[in-house]
Amino acid sequence: MRSKKSEKKTKIVASKYLNESSSVIAMMSAVITSGGSLDAAVRKVAADGPKNTAKLFGTIVADTDSRSFPDMREAILELISMFPEELSSFRRAMFMVVSASDAKTAEEKVRIMGEATAASLDGIKRAGEGYISKLQFPCTAVFGIGIMVPMILLSLAPMLNIGGMFTMPAAINERTIRILILFVVPLCVLSVILSIRGKNPFMESSFDWKGSVSVAAALTSIPVVVLAGRFGLGLRETVTASVIIGSVSVLIAMSGRISAEKSREKVARSLRGVLFDLGNRMVTGENFDSALVSALSERKECSKIAEALEREYVLCRGDVEAAVRRCISPYSSEISEVLCRISVSSYRDIRDAGRMATALAHQFQNEDQIRDSMRNKLRSMTDMMNGTAALFAPLILGLSIMMMSPLAQVAGPLDTTSTYITVSVYLAELAVLISLFTSLLSDRFRATDIICKVSAILPAAMGVLYVCSSFVI
């Protein structure tokens, strides 16, 4: 008899489990194809699986042990019946896992689990493609609101000085146009950008503020302003020079962090490949400690980690998981936790742990291929948005300022300096918004990425704006 507590419907948030689904299926596959039961596979995930799914499976293990369910099969079927539509691929894969556990022959188990693996990967792929297909409207809206609206507003500004030729509403004046460009338009663009927040199926973490202090390097623009004033440079030249030098200073200040991050990503990618060698060594009977050091030593990018791990083994007093975390976490917390799970599993059966390592390695490889494909499809979109902020927007707005000069012959003296300052401030806002937008499209949302993109966009944008607005017709 089920308890009332177990009968309560649990709300399952798809975003927490989609990215973990393939790893879960891989772990269950390693257990079932090696002759284990469904009960053992579920307990394996509950004990050593990814964070969110391990907690979810831990609940049904507790329910089964407390006799809320007669057996693990019924508990799993009850759980996956509550999966939302977004997790339909995960649900289908779990049904196949249940079928594989009932299969009579080893060959049939391997075949069914292969189909379950493919189903979970297909779900991730379809989620990514669905997400990309929904980005067309936000991109078009950002382009239209962020560029066309300011251009139209700038074209209205000169008409305000031409008395009698155009009938303008009393509420439309230069101050109103400035408020619209600097506040209303950016807020509209921001609302469009925030509409996609949380919808990226590959987003793995919340916002990371690390590295944001590097923006302090932009203070180097202050001495530029002082020197420009002493040498009698115009306001346009002063603003342009200070923004360019401040942005370049931020890039220089972050160059070390950028280089370190690229190196870390290269090592993290290599660590995924280490799992193959680790699993093969453990299947032959080699213990986890020596197999991991040997597997790391085989790869050039990971040789220093192998040396550090050997030293940690001596100092850790038997706490292998702590040693692994200290050496691996700085490069990849995900792989670090996977290795710790494999280490714990190896205490029970070294060969089963080896098969789990190999299964997870294949799963990571397949996931990487899918994610790389998604990134390639997104690259054209992100390149277009970056090009819009760096080149197209300042080109259009700069030409709009240039077109004001012919109207001076009709409207009388026309000073476009204030318009130039307004557009410069707006381009800085647009650079931040576009950088925020493209960062939300990636699988990591970090202050470092946004600051780097803004610092790279602004010098080009200000240069284009200055050149285009300087032409005289």
Side-chain angles (χ1 to χ4, degrees):
M1 181 73 67
R2 298 181 197 175
S3 68
K4 292 183 179 179
K5 182 179 179 180
S6 67
E7 291 179 349
K8 292 181 179 178
K9 291 291 183 181
T10 304
K11 185 178 180 180
I12 297 178
V13 181
S15 59
K16 289 185 177 181
Y17 306 100
L18 180 64
N19 284 320
E20 296 180 353
S21 61
S22 59
S23 296
V24 170
I25 298 301
M27 292 183 69
M28 300 183 82
S29 175
V31 174
I32 290 176
T33 55
S34 61
S37 64
L38 177 64
D39 185 280
V42 173
R43 292 178 187 276
K44 181 74 172 177
V45 175
D48 304 324
K51 178 182 176 182
N52 294 305
T53 312
K55 184 178 180 179
L56 188 64
F57 277 34
T59 301
I60 62 174
V61 167
D63 284 345
T64 303
D65 290 343
S66 64
R67 300 300 180 184
S68 296
F69 291 96
D71 55 38
M72 191 64 74
R73 176 192 175 91
E74 187 171 343
I76 280 289
L77 293 176
E78 175 73 14
L79 173 67
I80 60 182
S81 69
M82 296 187 294
F83 281 3
E85 183 60 30
E86 294 86 350
L87 291 177
S88 59
S89 59
F90 194 10
R91 184 195 303 122
R92 186 165 62 254
M94 287 301 302
F95 275 123
M96 292 179 184
V97 170
V98 174
S99 298
S101 66
D102 295 333
K104 302 300 183 183
T105 64
E107 292 78 9
E108 189 176 359
K109 288 183 178 182
V110 170
R111 179 185 62 79
I112 297 175
M113 288 309 304
E115 293 175 357
T117 299
S120 64
L121 290 172
D122 182 64
I124 295 176
K125 182 178 179 181
R126 285 191 292 106
E129 291 175 345
Y131 173 67
I132 292 173
S133 67
K134 294 176 182 177
L135 293 176
Q136 190 64 42
F137 172 75
C139 288
T140 305
V142 169
F143 179 84
I145 299 172
I147 297 176
M148 303 310 295
V149 172
M151 183 188 72
I152 293 170
L153 292 173
L154 285 178
S155 67
L156 290 177
M159 299 179 187
L160 299 175
N161 295 326
I162 306 177
M165 290 185 65
F166 298 95
T167 303
M168 305 294 290
I172 298 180
N173 52 46
E174 291 185 5
R175 183 172 178 272
T176 303
I177 290 176
R178 191 172 292 112
I179 291 173
L180 289 172
I181 292 176
L182 295 182
F183 296 100
V184 178
V185 171
L187 285 175
C188 291
V189 173
L190 181 61
S191 66
V192 173
I193 292 172
L194 292 180
S195 69
I196 69 168
R197 186 181 179 185
K199 296 181 180 179
N200 188 344
F202 300 132
M203 185 68 72
E204 296 177 351
S205 61
S206 57
F207 188 69
D208 183 0
W209 289 96
K210 292 180 181 178
S212 56
V213 294
S214 300
V215 77
L219 294 175
T220 54
S221 60
I222 296 176
V224 176
V225 174
V226 174
L227 290 173
R230 288 186 178 181
F231 285 100
L233 291 180
L235 191 56
R236 291 190 182 199
E237 290 74 15
T238 301
V239 170
T240 303
S242 61
V243 171
I244 291 175
I245 292 177
S247 301
V248 172
S249 298
V250 173
L251 279 178
I252 294 173
M254 299 192 72
S255 59
R257 184 180 292 274
I258 296 170
S259 177
E261 179 61 18
K262 287 182 179 179
S263 299
R264 186 202 66 79
E265 289 178 353
K266 186 177 181 181
V267 174
R269 191 92 175 185
S270 183
L271 283 171
R272 290 175 175 254
V274 165
L275 290 174
F276 280 109
D277 194 15
L278 173 66
N280 292 334
R281 290 174 182 273
M282 292 176 69
V283 167
T284 61
E286 186 175 353
N287 66 59
F288 173 84
D289 303 9
S290 62
L292 180 56
V293 171
S294 299
L296 290 169
S297 301
E298 291 293 324
R299 293 177 177 267
K300 181 181 177 181
E301 299 87 352
C302 303
S303 57
K304 291 183 179 180
I305 300 178
E307 295 172 3
L309 189 59
E310 283 187 302
R311 291 193 297 268
E312 286 294 334
Y313 281 160
V314 176
L315 301 173
C316 72
R317 298 181 179 180
D319 191 352
V320 175
E321 288 74 44
V324 169
R325 286 191 177 97
R326 278 194 289 270
C327 295
I328 306 296
S329 290
Y331 301 96
S332 174
S333 57
E334 180 184 30
I335 298 298
S336 172
E337 292 306 312
V338 167
L339 289 172
C340 288
R341 295 202 301 265
I342 294 171
S343 174
V344 171
S345 179
S346 68
Y347 300 150
R348 295 188 287 270
D349 190 310
I350 188 69
R351 288 179 172 80
D352 278 349
R355 282 188 284 269
M356 184 178 82
T358 303
L360 288 172
H362 281 291
Q363 205 70 19
F364 279 132
Q365 185 182 57
N366 292 331
E367 283 184 30
D368 285 343
Q369 291 175 354
I370 291 174
R371 290 172 185 252
D372 287 344
S373 175
M374 294 299 105
R375 289 191 189 101
N376 290 334
K377 291 179 180 179
L378 281 172
R379 186 167 290 120
S380 61
M381 195 174 298
T382 55
D383 287 348
M384 181 195 72
M385 299 308 294
N386 289 329
T388 295
L391 299 174
F392 190 69
L395 177 66
I396 294 296
L397 298 178
L399 292 176
S400 297
I401 295 175
M402 179 193 71
M403 293 301 293
M404 291 181 179
S405 57
L407 294 174
Q409 299 174 7
V410 178
L414 184 65
D415 183 14
T416 59
T417 301
S418 62
T419 304
Y420 184 88
I421 302 303
T422 300
V423 172
S424 299
V425 174
Y426 174 72
L427 285 178
E429 294 175 341
L430 185 63
V432 173
L433 291 171
I434 294 297
S435 299
L436 176 66
F437 183 62
T438 54
S439 293
L440 282 172
L441 298 182
S442 66
D443 55 2
R444 283 177 294 180
F445 191 28
R446 302 179 298 182
T448 303
D449 293 338
I450 296 175
I451 294 171
C452 285
K453 289 172 183 176
V454 171
S455 301
I457 288 171
L458 272 181
M462 290 303 298
V464 172
L465 176 67
Y466 180 77
V467 171
C468 291
S469 63
S470 297
F471 287 114
V472 179
I473 299 179

